Amino acid sequence: MRTDLHRHLTSPLTGVRNLGILAHVDAGKTTVTERILYLTGTTHKRGEVHDGTTVTDFDSQERDRGITIFAAAVSCAWDGHRINLIDTPGHVDFSDEVERSLRVLDGAVAVFDAVAGVEPQSESVWRQADRHGVPRIAFVNKLDRAGADLDAAVASIKVRLHTVPLVVQLPIGKEDGFTGVVDLLRMRSLVWADGRGTFEEGRVPDTLWEEAHRRRRLLEETVAELHPVALEEFCAESTVSAQTLSAALRDLTRTGEGVVVLCGSAYRNRGIEPLLEAVVAYLPSPLDVPAVRGTLDGAVQERSADPAAPFAALVFKVNSTTTGRLTYLRVYSGTIRKGDAVLDVGARRNERIGRILRVQAGQHSDVEQAVAGDIVAVIGLKAARAGATLCTPVAPLVLEPPSVADPVVSVAVEARRRTDTERLVSALARLVEEDPSLAVRTDPETGQTVLSGMGELHLEVAVEKIRRAHGLEIGVGRPQVAYRETVARGVSGLVYRHVKQDGGAGQFAHVVLDVEPLEAAGDNGGGAAVDFVFRSTVVGGRVPQEYVRAVEAGCRDALAEGPLGGHPVTGLRVTLADGATHSKDSSEMAFRTAGRLALREALRNSAMVLLEPVVEVTVTVPDDAVGGVLGDLAARRGRVSGSTARAGASVISATVPLAELFGYATRLRSRTQGRGTFTTRATGYAPAPSAVPRGTPDR
């Protein structure tokens, strides 16, 4: 124990912070990142999103569109600590980039708009961070905007994110008059003078003295309810010291029981220094997070963040550039040097590290080695994909890869010139390699090449990337959504007998299946996303266990195409109720075939429902355009769930089928004279009306 504690106190890893910047689109993530880089001396000029001069939005499409599309990693130093920071996208179409980033981060800063509070994508990325157990602190940005309200933003954090906000600052001034904050831990004021990049520390203003003490007391009481040491001191002294509060806030942040809330205006360079201090004080180092777990031959193993341990790293991003293939790694244990041989465990392929690069968004600098806790890029790997585990060949281990969401929108793509067809195929393969949330297939009926992704903007960006990077002229078809089929009313006791005898060994399998919807079966309670459940109630050994597994595999094969239009089938439960075998002709292949054909027949005999993807749409429009927007949403089969007033505008929430939103951005602009905006968040699938064409190609 003493040895571990001594290593923790003396290891340089205690000074490392791997964190991401998370938020809804336009909440100010990239501006926060730019101010961090500027204050830490990494850059010498403040980059602006509207000028296209930011470091992390270095791709030409990001600068043209004014949004973050690709997760960008940068490194900087603050107060003796090295901060590896990833600026993530805020648009729902690029949530897979956020997912891959969160898989390798130790902490995060969630940025919220002081006017809008928690917005739909803010909630989505917060849930993603919950799944990965990533500790967070919150930064309420844009306090200089008209209508900014810290208390309202904090209330939305508490209600919508179901967490305990621990507010440690009080704003000085409102809207245009916002000049600084009161630090409630040390009871001091921090004021940023106009035109200066540093704050002036002073005493709490007399006009805020009473309110600051009230909020400090509220902070002490909230922390004491959650932290035993703080509670003990509060009961004994009727107060909690700044030192105890700071230690308690660190513990509550790392356990996820509370979230520290700071505030400021990144655009005006106010509040960034305290944010950096909070990152260092409250978010964990690689030594503070649990040892990474992996599997080897079914056995679970742990690898601690120790440079002397066997090397293990996870690939979370691949990027093809004009200078070569960049593979981004999070090193979890061990040390890697230039020229070292590594094993890509999933591909069972040995690779060699050519160069190791410290990443600065679009710029890179060579380093000799990378150790546990580092986030770096390497050159020399030929085939490693996002989610691959790299490790030392003598100590293999498989780390859990980040999950990849299923694509929901597809377009047909083709080269304008026949001579460019092969180049397009190569470009698409490279695109899918870089972004696993994209998929490419050939439609068996039309022979078209179909590109699938997470949304209309996602596909638009992907196609434009091919055009710019490869100089190809590409034709793009109308977007199609990915429909699904499900069982509304199933069948019981369907008997299927598979017998084949055409010389040589025969095939025999007898199965009896019950098929029912998952909701009726009660398998998806608790909100878990379950697509298919299989079980066996066969007794007396009438069907051996290995054949039961074969039947399940056959049923899963049958889910690929449903009877309505060949769409994937979801949301059903299959029970193998009975069966019979033959002493010579039964085999796993026979029972797999029987399972596949039996379920296909059962689905044809069931009442099936076509499902279409639906999204939650949040539309912000001027008050004088509300009527027209509501009518347009109704025409798009939208169901309005709420409307609130916010700073001279109305915010309308509705659930709308994804297929009805193609081209909605142009329509909204025309109805609101360019003043309306909207965002979406995927919510799942819902029954589609019978008028929806069932032959829409999405297989």
Side-chain angles (χ1 to χ4, degrees), residues 546-563:
E546 61 269 24
Y547 293 166
V548 171
R549 289 193 293 268
V551 173
E552 179 180 359
C555 289
R556 291 187 181 276
D557 294 340
L559 298 178
E561 296 184 1

Side-chain angles (χ1 to χ4, degrees), residues 91-304:
H91 197 285
V92 63
D93 282 18
F94 308 106
S95 58
D96 201 65
E97 285 272 325
V98 182
E99 183 74 17
R100 294 197 298 274
S101 299
L102 282 170
R103 174 63 181 83
V104 299
L105 294 173
D106 300 327
V109 175
V111 180
F112 301 95
D113 188 320
V115 178
V118 176
E119 298 174 273
Q121 190 60 12
S122 305
E123 192 171 348
S124 295
V125 296
W126 190 272
R127 301 295 174 223
Q128 286 178 285
D130 279 341
R131 289 199 305 271
H132 289 279
V134 176
R136 280 141 282 168
I137 59 178
F139 182 72
V140 179
N141 191 28
K142 301 188 178 183
L143 275 177
D144 59 317
R145 284 185 60 196
D149 188 336
L150 175 63
D151 291 337
V154 170
S156 69
I157 291 173
K158 183 176 182 179
V159 172
R160 297 196 63 174
L161 303 183
H162 307 291
T163 188
V164 180
L166 305 169
V167 185
V168 298
Q169 291 177 341
L170 170 67
I172 299 175
K174 293 183 178 180
E175 299 178 352
D176 281 344
F178 171 70
T179 57
V181 298
V182 174
D183 178 358
L184 298 179
L185 263 69
R186 299 175 181 84
M187 293 305 289
R188 57 175 181 163
S189 69
L190 308 175
V191 178
W192 285 264
D194 288 339
R196 299 180 58 183
T198 58
F199 62 83
E200 294 180 357
E201 183 177 342
R203 60 187 300 275
V204 179
D206 293 339
T207 55
L208 293 175
W209 181 259
E210 185 176 337
E211 179 66 10
H213 273 271
R214 185 186 71 81
R215 295 190 181 228
R216 165 62 184 255
R217 183 71 175 181
L218 180 62
L219 176 63
E220 291 176 355
E221 292 172 352
T222 306
V223 171
E225 290 176 359
L226 300 172
H227 197 275
V229 175
L231 177 61
E232 184 178 344
E233 184 173 320
F234 185 78
C235 293
E237 307 292 339
S238 295
T239 187
V240 182
S241 67
Q243 183 177 0
T244 302
L245 264 181
S246 182
L249 291 173
R250 180 172 60 250
D251 293 341
L252 295 175
T253 298
R254 294 178 183 181
T255 61
E257 296 176 79
V259 56
V260 173
V261 180
L262 301 97
C263 60
S265 169
Y267 178 68
R268 296 187 183 275
N269 210 35
R270 295 168 184 171
I272 303 301
E273 294 97 326
L275 176 62
L276 283 167
E277 291 175 359
V279 164
V280 168
Y282 305 132
L283 292 181
S285 74
L287 293 177
D288 296 317
V289 297
V292 67
R293 290 189 170 190
T295 58
L296 180 62
D297 297 330
V300 177
Q301 293 186 11
E302 289 189 350
R303 292 277 173 89
S304 61

Side-chain angles (χ1 to χ4, degrees), residues 371-652:
V371 300
D374 270 337
I375 292 179
V376 295
V378 298
I379 293 178
L381 304 184
K382 298 288 191 298
R385 306 286 294 269
T389 301
L390 301 179
C391 58
T392 180
V394 296
L397 186 73
V398 180
L399 302 177
E400 181 184 358
S403 60
V404 179
D406 293 329
V408 295
V409 179
S410 302
V411 292
V413 294
E414 63 179 2
R416 295 284 190 191
R417 295 189 295 264
R418 287 183 177 273
T419 53
D420 289 338
T421 301
E422 290 300 322
R423 290 177 60 203
L424 176 60
V425 170
S426 176
L428 288 171
R430 180 177 294 182
L431 197 66
V432 173
E433 183 180 78
E434 294 183 8
D435 187 351
S437 61
L438 291 169
V440 176
R441 61 179 174 80
T442 301
D443 188 277
E445 295 179 1
T446 65
Q448 290 179 308
T449 300
V450 179
L451 176 65
S452 304
M454 304 304 297
E456 194 174 7
L457 178 61
H458 190 203
L459 296 179
E460 192 179 308
V461 167
V463 170
E464 186 62 24
K465 187 173 183 178
I466 292 177
R467 286 174 176 154
R468 296 188 184 192
H470 301 275
L472 291 171
E473 294 183 19
I474 305 173
V476 181
R478 186 182 184 277
Q480 304 284 352
V481 300
Y483 291 99
R484 296 287 184 267
E485 299 177 22
T486 192
V487 175
R489 185 180 66 254
V491 295
S492 298
L494 184 134
V495 179
Y496 190 87
R497 192 178 182 90
H498 175 64
V499 181
K500 185 177 181 181
Q501 191 74 47
D502 54 0
Q507 293 187 26
F508 178 89
H510 178 89
V511 296
V512 180
L513 299 183
D514 295 337
V515 178
E516 57 187 326
L518 269 178
E519 290 184 3
D523 283 303
N524 58 347
V530 181
D531 293 329
F532 173 69
V533 172
F534 180 88
R535 69 170 186 169
S536 171
T537 58
V538 178
V539 295
R542 291 174 59 82
V543 180
Q545 190 60 39
E546 61 269 24
Y547 293 166
V548 171
R549 289 193 293 268
V551 173
E552 179 180 359
C555 289
R556 291 187 181 276
D557 294 340
L559 298 178
E561 296 184 1
L564 292 182
H567 312 294
V569 181
T570 186
L572 75 158
R573 172 175 172 175
V574 176
T575 303
L576 178 61
D578 199 2
T581 62
H582 186 277
S583 58
K584 292 184 179 180
D585 294 341
S586 290
S587 65
E588 290 186 27
M589 180 182 295
F591 272 89
R592 181 164 185 162
T593 302
R596 182 179 72 255
L597 299 178
L599 183 54
R600 284 182 179 176
E601 182 175 329
L603 293 177
R604 286 193 294 269
N605 294 333
S606 300
M608 301 294 293
V609 175
L610 189 69
L611 301 177
E612 61 180 344
V614 295
V615 296
E616 178 188 320
V617 182
T618 303
V619 189
T620 303
V621 296
D623 290 334
D624 59 3
V626 170
V629 170
L630 287 173
D632 189 45
L633 287 173
R636 295 173 185 272
R637 298 189 284 128
R639 291 184 290 109
V640 176
S641 56
S643 178
T644 58
R646 179 194 297 163
S650 293
V651 181
I652 302 167

